[in-house]
Amino acid sequence: MATTGRTYTIGGTGLPNVERFRWLLGLVVPAALVVIWHLSVTVGIFAPHQLPEPLRVVTTFYGMAVSGELWGHIAITIQRVFLGVIIGVAVGIVFGTLTGYYRLASDLFDPLFQSMKNIPSLAWVPLFLLWFGIGESAKVLLIAVGAFFPVYLNLSTGIAGVSEDLLEVAAVYDLGRIEELRRVILPAALPSLLVGIRGGVGLAWMFVVAAELIAASQGIGFLLSDGRTLSRPDIIIGSILLFAFLGNLSDLGVKEVEKRVVTQ
Amino acid sequence: MSSLNKKQGDTSSDQRPNASDEDALVVRDLTKRYGETVALDGVDLTVSDGEFVSVVGPSGCGKSTLLRVLSGLEERFDGRAAVDGEDVRDGGSDGVGMVFQEPRLLPWADVSENVAVGLPADVDADDPKAATRIDDLIETVGLSGFEDHRPGGLSGGMAQRVSLARGLAYDPAVLLLDEPFSALDQLTKYEQQDNLLDVWEARETTIVLVTHDIEEAAYLSDRVVVLGGQPGRVVETIDVDVARPREQTDDELVAVRERITDALGV
Ligand SMILES: Nc1ncnc2c1ncn2[C@@H]1O[C@H](COP(=O)(O)OP(=O)(O)OP(=O)(O)O)[C@@H](O)[C@H]1O
Ligand SMILES: [Mg+2]
């Protein structure tokens, strides 16, 4: 590309580049909330068995990290999300491509998928337990279901929306089905696919909670429900924060890939 | 343009449908409607093998539509349109290449990749000879040094030349060009016109060129078809019996230009 983005500094040379540190502003409100949280517990607005001090959460999880217990939970949850996303994205790509490309496939499958996409994640859990037992496959497949829909929906509409002008180019130059797909359709639909994958990864985190809350003896979701059984709000809040952290991390990862692949 | 000629030699002569005494293009009583709009109304046109025909006419008279029918992009029309005796709807358009009125480049692919889209299916894109051919074509259209630029970074005239190079890469038996030089400056336009004539002579391509430029039509063509519209009809067909190589300033060409102008009713 001939045009490269250029940053222009506004203001004189004397000022430090304020724009670069703008993101720090986003930390102000969360930090204030933590302070308020801490104060409200010490002052006694909340009972400690309902809401522990922020520091309690940190020490509890630090202790679990040192003892090694925490890593097992994190590892198994990440593994489930990862496998589920791989399967869900792969199946989503296959069906999204088929339905985006072939009118008949779309007529056959799209109404079904469209009506299934709104089934809440928890509703699937009993069925998957019944079919696949309480082992890993039930959880991974449940997460795959979650990851599938955004990928399928975005890719399918992305492919169906590829510019007619470019498809005519492919037709006139006799590219053939495969080359047309490889050189025109998939690159054109790539941004939609990446949007779908981002959504799919997000939903995978939702579904992993559903799976682990109900049927697991390990994982962050299990920690959540265990915290409730043991009346340990510090564990519950810590697990929630852990989900937030991992969810954001994976989202940043996909966003980074998106930025690199879509270079226009 | 020796660079263009040397690559082909053996392979493509047998690709070319062999129909010596058959007309390359036959259009009979062609009528094309878009809903209420009648784009073409009873158009007749015959182009013989290796002939260079230009189509001129006012905006909206159906010039692009005619090329779209011939290139097989329009499924529905009345009348007959055949290439080498085969209906364009039954695969007759396979040997037809078209340079669209708009560049229509792949925005995510660089100039080389865009030109390579035109390579015929039987050419292996990874073959070094194919790469050389692409480079030669890019040089011919005057874009050396821009091989790895994306279309977004090109001017309108540059994008149009990439599109032209893609059409030439296809090396079809019948080449349709829809105002391929419209965005070029005068000097570049002359260069590319002569380049097209070189290709036409070397490859014995049958060419139908749509243009608004009367001077261009007279200079390049064996025959000029004047469409009037709308709906688009053939108003007049003018033979350009002027020996080649021609000069833009030839007296005979000036006379032809006047006839085209008269037929257009300008
Ligand atoms: N896809 C379409 N849908 C509806 N009408 C169309 C379509 N394509 C062309 N037309 C109409 O058909 C007529 C001929 O259009 P066409 O593009 O062939 O004109 P043209 O001679 O190429 O014009 P220009 O010189 O401006 O390129 C116009 O009236 C146009 O509005
Ligand atoms: Mg046109």
Short mmCIF file of all heavy atoms in Angstrom, two decimals, chain A residues 1-2 164-166 168-169 171-175 183-185 187-188 263-264, chain B residues 68 73 94 96-98 100 104-108 116-118 150 166-167 170:
data_model
loop_
_atom_site.label_atom_id
_atom_site.label_comp_id
_atom_site.label_asym_id
_atom_site.label_seq_id
_atom_site.Cartn_x
_atom_site.Cartn_y
_atom_site.Cartn_z
N MET A 1 0.82 -1.21 0.00
CA MET A 1 0.00 0.00 0.00
C MET A 1 0.85 1.25 0.00
O MET A 1 1.82 1.34 0.73
CB MET A 1 -0.82 0.00 1.28
CG MET A 1 -2.03 -0.83 1.09
SD MET A 1 -3.52 0.08 0.99
CE MET A 1 -4.41 -1.14 0.10
N ALA A 2 0.45 2.18 -0.79
CA ALA A 2 1.24 3.39 -0.86
C ALA A 2 0.97 4.29 0.35
O ALA A 2 1.83 5.03 0.79
CB ALA A 2 0.92 4.15 -2.13
N GLU A 164 -20.95 -8.77 -7.00
CA GLU A 164 -21.33 -9.40 -8.26
C GLU A 164 -20.32 -9.06 -9.35
O GLU A 164 -19.98 -9.88 -10.20
CB GLU A 164 -22.74 -8.93 -8.64
CG GLU A 164 -23.38 -9.64 -9.79
CD GLU A 164 -23.57 -11.13 -9.54
OE1 GLU A 164 -23.84 -11.55 -8.40
OE2 GLU A 164 -23.42 -11.88 -10.52
N ASP A 165 -19.79 -7.84 -9.31
CA ASP A 165 -18.80 -7.40 -10.29
C ASP A 165 -17.60 -8.33 -10.32
O ASP A 165 -17.11 -8.69 -11.39
CB ASP A 165 -18.32 -5.98 -9.96
CG ASP A 165 -19.32 -4.93 -10.39
OD1 ASP A 165 -20.41 -5.31 -10.85
OD2 ASP A 165 -19.00 -3.74 -10.25
N LEU A 166 -17.12 -8.71 -9.13
CA LEU A 166 -15.93 -9.56 -9.08
C LEU A 166 -16.28 -10.99 -9.51
O LEU A 166 -15.46 -11.67 -10.14
CB LEU A 166 -15.33 -9.55 -7.68
CG LEU A 166 -14.77 -8.20 -7.23
CD1 LEU A 166 -14.09 -8.32 -5.88
CD2 LEU A 166 -13.80 -7.64 -8.26
N GLU A 168 -18.38 -11.73 -11.75
CA GLU A 168 -18.43 -11.69 -13.21
C GLU A 168 -17.02 -11.76 -13.79
O GLU A 168 -16.80 -12.38 -14.84
CB GLU A 168 -19.15 -10.42 -13.69
CG GLU A 168 -20.65 -10.51 -13.51
CD GLU A 168 -21.39 -9.32 -14.09
OE1 GLU A 168 -20.74 -8.36 -14.58
OE2 GLU A 168 -22.63 -9.34 -14.06
N VAL A 169 -16.07 -11.12 -13.11
CA VAL A 169 -14.69 -11.23 -13.56
C VAL A 169 -14.26 -12.69 -13.54
O VAL A 169 -13.68 -13.21 -14.50
CB VAL A 169 -13.75 -10.38 -12.67
CG1 VAL A 169 -12.29 -10.69 -12.97
CG2 VAL A 169 -14.02 -8.90 -12.87
N ALA A 171 -16.11 -15.25 -13.78
CA ALA A 171 -16.83 -15.98 -14.82
C ALA A 171 -16.20 -15.73 -16.19
O ALA A 171 -15.96 -16.67 -16.96
CB ALA A 171 -18.30 -15.57 -14.84
N VAL A 172 -15.92 -14.47 -16.50
CA VAL A 172 -15.37 -14.15 -17.82
C VAL A 172 -14.00 -14.79 -18.01
O VAL A 172 -13.67 -15.29 -19.09
CB VAL A 172 -15.30 -12.62 -18.00
CG1 VAL A 172 -14.37 -12.26 -19.14
CG2 VAL A 172 -16.67 -12.05 -18.26
N TYR A 173 -13.18 -14.80 -16.97
CA TYR A 173 -11.85 -15.37 -17.10
C TYR A 173 -11.81 -16.86 -16.76
O TYR A 173 -10.74 -17.42 -16.49
CB TYR A 173 -10.84 -14.58 -16.27
CG TYR A 173 -10.64 -13.19 -16.84
CD1 TYR A 173 -11.11 -12.06 -16.18
CD2 TYR A 173 -10.02 -13.02 -18.06
CE1 TYR A 173 -10.96 -10.80 -16.72
CE2 TYR A 173 -9.87 -11.76 -18.62
CZ TYR A 173 -10.34 -10.66 -17.94
OH TYR A 173 -10.20 -9.41 -18.50
N ASP A 174 -12.99 -17.48 -16.75
CA ASP A 174 -13.09 -18.94 -16.58
C ASP A 174 -12.26 -19.49 -15.43
O ASP A 174 -11.54 -20.47 -15.60
CB ASP A 174 -12.66 -19.64 -17.89
CG ASP A 174 -13.80 -19.65 -18.90
OD1 ASP A 174 -14.95 -19.70 -18.48
OD2 ASP A 174 -13.51 -19.62 -20.11
N LEU A 175 -12.38 -18.87 -14.27
CA LEU A 175 -11.56 -19.33 -13.14
C LEU A 175 -11.97 -20.73 -12.69
O LEU A 175 -11.16 -21.47 -12.16
CB LEU A 175 -11.68 -18.37 -11.96
CG LEU A 175 -10.94 -17.05 -12.10
CD1 LEU A 175 -10.86 -16.35 -10.76
CD2 LEU A 175 -9.53 -17.27 -12.64
N ARG A 183 -9.63 -17.62 -4.92
CA ARG A 183 -9.03 -16.32 -5.23
C ARG A 183 -9.99 -15.16 -5.07
O ARG A 183 -9.56 -14.03 -4.90
CB ARG A 183 -8.51 -16.34 -6.67
CG ARG A 183 -7.24 -17.16 -6.78
CD ARG A 183 -7.01 -17.62 -8.17
NE ARG A 183 -6.20 -16.70 -8.93
CZ ARG A 183 -5.66 -16.99 -10.10
NH1 ARG A 183 -5.86 -18.19 -10.62
NH2 ARG A 183 -4.93 -16.12 -10.75
N VAL A 184 -11.28 -15.41 -5.16
CA VAL A 184 -12.23 -14.30 -5.09
C VAL A 184 -13.11 -14.38 -3.85
O VAL A 184 -13.12 -13.47 -3.02
CB VAL A 184 -13.11 -14.25 -6.36
CG1 VAL A 184 -14.07 -13.08 -6.29
CG2 VAL A 184 -12.25 -14.17 -7.60
N ILE A 185 -13.82 -15.48 -3.70
CA ILE A 185 -14.87 -15.52 -2.69
C ILE A 185 -14.31 -15.53 -1.27
O ILE A 185 -14.71 -14.73 -0.43
CB ILE A 185 -15.79 -16.72 -2.94
CG1 ILE A 185 -16.51 -16.52 -4.27
CG2 ILE A 185 -16.80 -16.87 -1.81
CD1 ILE A 185 -17.40 -17.63 -4.68
N PRO A 187 -11.24 -14.71 -0.05
CA PRO A 187 -10.61 -13.46 0.38
C PRO A 187 -11.63 -12.35 0.62
O PRO A 187 -11.50 -11.57 1.56
CB PRO A 187 -9.69 -13.09 -0.78
CG PRO A 187 -9.46 -14.34 -1.53
CD PRO A 187 -10.67 -15.19 -1.32
N ALA A 188 -12.67 -12.31 -0.22
CA ALA A 188 -13.68 -11.26 -0.05
C ALA A 188 -14.46 -11.46 1.25
O ALA A 188 -14.87 -10.50 1.89
CB ALA A 188 -14.63 -11.24 -1.24
N THR A 263 -5.56 -6.53 5.55
CA THR A 263 -4.66 -5.38 5.40
C THR A 263 -5.13 -4.49 4.28
O THR A 263 -4.50 -4.41 3.24
CB THR A 263 -3.23 -5.85 5.10
OG1 THR A 263 -3.31 -6.82 4.06
CG2 THR A 263 -2.56 -6.42 6.31
N GLN A 264 -6.27 -3.88 4.45
CA GLN A 264 -6.70 -2.94 3.43
C GLN A 264 -7.07 -1.62 4.05
O GLN A 264 -7.80 -1.57 4.98
CB GLN A 264 -7.91 -3.49 2.69
CG GLN A 264 -7.50 -4.58 1.76
CD GLN A 264 -8.69 -5.41 1.36
OE1 GLN A 264 -9.58 -4.93 0.73
NE2 GLN A 264 -8.71 -6.65 1.77
N ARG B 68 -21.72 -7.58 -22.82
CA ARG B 68 -22.11 -8.53 -21.76
C ARG B 68 -22.79 -9.75 -22.35
O ARG B 68 -22.56 -10.88 -21.91
CB ARG B 68 -23.05 -7.86 -20.75
CG ARG B 68 -22.36 -6.82 -19.88
CD ARG B 68 -23.36 -6.19 -18.92
NE ARG B 68 -23.98 -7.20 -18.07
CZ ARG B 68 -23.41 -7.69 -16.97
NH1 ARG B 68 -22.24 -7.23 -16.60
NH2 ARG B 68 -24.02 -8.60 -16.26
N LEU B 73 -22.36 -13.24 -20.09
CA LEU B 73 -22.79 -12.84 -18.74
C LEU B 73 -24.30 -12.69 -18.65
O LEU B 73 -24.85 -12.69 -17.55
CB LEU B 73 -22.11 -11.53 -18.32
CG LEU B 73 -20.62 -11.63 -18.04
CD1 LEU B 73 -20.03 -10.26 -17.77
CD2 LEU B 73 -20.35 -12.55 -16.85
N ASP B 94 -16.81 -19.26 -24.13
CA ASP B 94 -15.61 -19.72 -23.42
C ASP B 94 -14.33 -19.08 -23.93
O ASP B 94 -13.42 -18.79 -23.16
CB ASP B 94 -15.49 -21.25 -23.51
CG ASP B 94 -16.47 -21.93 -22.57
OD1 ASP B 94 -17.15 -21.21 -21.82
OD2 ASP B 94 -16.57 -23.17 -22.61
N VAL B 96 -14.02 -16.21 -25.15
CA VAL B 96 -14.18 -14.76 -25.20
C VAL B 96 -13.63 -14.15 -23.91
O VAL B 96 -13.94 -14.61 -22.82
CB VAL B 96 -15.67 -14.38 -25.34
CG1 VAL B 96 -15.84 -12.87 -25.38
CG2 VAL B 96 -16.25 -15.02 -26.59
N GLY B 97 -12.80 -13.14 -24.07
CA GLY B 97 -12.32 -12.40 -22.91
C GLY B 97 -12.88 -11.00 -22.94
O GLY B 97 -13.21 -10.49 -24.00
N MET B 98 -13.01 -10.38 -21.77
CA MET B 98 -13.56 -9.04 -21.76
C MET B 98 -12.81 -8.15 -20.77
O MET B 98 -12.52 -8.56 -19.66
CB MET B 98 -15.05 -9.05 -21.41
CG MET B 98 -15.61 -7.66 -21.17
SD MET B 98 -17.31 -7.46 -21.66
CE MET B 98 -18.16 -7.94 -20.19
N PHE B 100 -13.61 -5.06 -18.72
CA PHE B 100 -14.82 -4.36 -18.30
C PHE B 100 -14.65 -2.85 -18.35
O PHE B 100 -13.54 -2.33 -18.33
CB PHE B 100 -15.20 -4.76 -16.87
CG PHE B 100 -15.68 -6.18 -16.74
CD1 PHE B 100 -14.79 -7.21 -16.51
CD2 PHE B 100 -17.03 -6.48 -16.84
CE1 PHE B 100 -15.22 -8.52 -16.39
CE2 PHE B 100 -17.48 -7.79 -16.71
CZ PHE B 100 -16.57 -8.80 -16.49
N ARG B 104 -12.58 -3.25 -11.98
CA ARG B 104 -12.98 -4.49 -11.29
C ARG B 104 -11.78 -5.32 -10.85
O ARG B 104 -11.67 -6.51 -11.18
CB ARG B 104 -13.87 -5.35 -12.17
CG ARG B 104 -15.14 -4.66 -12.60
CD ARG B 104 -16.17 -5.62 -13.04
NE ARG B 104 -17.36 -4.94 -13.55
CZ ARG B 104 -18.49 -5.55 -13.85
NH1 ARG B 104 -18.59 -6.84 -13.71
NH2 ARG B 104 -19.51 -4.86 -14.29
N LEU B 105 -10.87 -4.71 -10.12
CA LEU B 105 -9.70 -5.44 -9.62
C LEU B 105 -10.00 -6.02 -8.24
O LEU B 105 -10.85 -5.51 -7.52
CB LEU B 105 -8.51 -4.49 -9.54
CG LEU B 105 -8.16 -3.78 -10.85
CD1 LEU B 105 -7.01 -2.82 -10.64
CD2 LEU B 105 -7.83 -4.78 -11.94
N LEU B 106 -9.28 -7.07 -7.89
CA LEU B 106 -9.42 -7.64 -6.56
C LEU B 106 -8.68 -6.72 -5.58
O LEU B 106 -7.46 -6.58 -5.68
CB LEU B 106 -8.82 -9.05 -6.51
CG LEU B 106 -9.33 -10.05 -7.53
CD1 LEU B 106 -8.60 -11.37 -7.41
CD2 LEU B 106 -10.83 -10.25 -7.39
N PRO B 107 -9.39 -6.11 -4.64
CA PRO B 107 -8.75 -5.09 -3.80
C PRO B 107 -7.67 -5.66 -2.87
O PRO B 107 -6.78 -4.93 -2.46
CB PRO B 107 -9.91 -4.49 -2.99
CG PRO B 107 -11.02 -5.45 -3.11
CD PRO B 107 -10.83 -6.22 -4.38
N TRP B 108 -7.76 -6.95 -2.56
CA TRP B 108 -6.79 -7.53 -1.61
C TRP B 108 -5.57 -8.10 -2.34
O TRP B 108 -4.62 -8.52 -1.70
CB TRP B 108 -7.46 -8.66 -0.81
CG TRP B 108 -8.12 -9.66 -1.72
CD1 TRP B 108 -7.51 -10.70 -2.35
CD2 TRP B 108 -9.49 -9.69 -2.11
NE1 TRP B 108 -8.42 -11.37 -3.13
CE2 TRP B 108 -9.65 -10.78 -2.99
CE3 TRP B 108 -10.59 -8.90 -1.80
CZ2 TRP B 108 -10.86 -11.09 -3.57
CZ3 TRP B 108 -11.80 -9.23 -2.38
CH2 TRP B 108 -11.94 -10.30 -3.25
N ALA B 116 -2.60 -11.88 -13.08
CA ALA B 116 -2.55 -13.34 -13.17
C ALA B 116 -3.95 -13.96 -13.20
O ALA B 116 -4.11 -15.09 -13.68
CB ALA B 116 -1.74 -13.92 -12.02
N VAL B 117 -4.94 -13.24 -12.72
CA VAL B 117 -6.32 -13.75 -12.78
C VAL B 117 -6.69 -14.04 -14.24
O VAL B 117 -7.45 -14.96 -14.53
CB VAL B 117 -7.30 -12.71 -12.17
CG1 VAL B 117 -8.74 -13.04 -12.53
CG2 VAL B 117 -7.13 -12.66 -10.67
N GLY B 118 -6.12 -13.26 -15.17
CA GLY B 118 -6.43 -13.45 -16.57
C GLY B 118 -5.77 -14.65 -17.22
O GLY B 118 -6.17 -15.06 -18.30
N ARG B 150 -1.22 -2.52 -4.25
CA ARG B 150 -2.64 -2.89 -4.24
C ARG B 150 -3.44 -1.88 -5.05
O ARG B 150 -3.04 -0.72 -5.15
CB ARG B 150 -3.16 -2.90 -2.80
CG ARG B 150 -2.49 -3.90 -1.90
CD ARG B 150 -3.18 -5.24 -2.01
NE ARG B 150 -2.48 -6.25 -1.25
CZ ARG B 150 -2.66 -6.48 0.05
NH1 ARG B 150 -3.54 -5.76 0.72
NH2 ARG B 150 -2.01 -7.41 0.68
N ARG B 166 -4.77 -7.68 -17.57
CA ARG B 166 -5.45 -8.92 -17.20
C ARG B 166 -6.18 -9.50 -18.41
O ARG B 166 -6.12 -10.71 -18.66
CB ARG B 166 -6.44 -8.63 -16.06
CG ARG B 166 -7.24 -9.82 -15.61
CD ARG B 166 -8.12 -9.48 -14.43
NE ARG B 166 -9.16 -8.51 -14.79
CZ ARG B 166 -9.95 -7.91 -13.90
NH1 ARG B 166 -9.83 -8.17 -12.62
NH2 ARG B 166 -10.87 -7.05 -14.31
N GLY B 167 -6.84 -8.63 -19.17
CA GLY B 167 -7.53 -9.09 -20.37
C GLY B 167 -6.56 -9.65 -21.40
O GLY B 167 -6.84 -10.66 -22.04
N TYR B 170 -5.24 -13.18 -20.75
CA TYR B 170 -6.18 -14.24 -21.10
C TYR B 170 -5.94 -14.72 -22.53
O TYR B 170 -6.22 -15.87 -22.86
CB TYR B 170 -7.60 -13.72 -20.93
CG TYR B 170 -8.67 -14.77 -20.88
CD1 TYR B 170 -8.58 -15.86 -20.03
CD2 TYR B 170 -9.81 -14.65 -21.68
CE1 TYR B 170 -9.58 -16.81 -19.99
CE2 TYR B 170 -10.82 -15.59 -21.63
CZ TYR B 170 -10.70 -16.67 -20.79
OH TYR B 170 -11.69 -17.61 -20.74
#
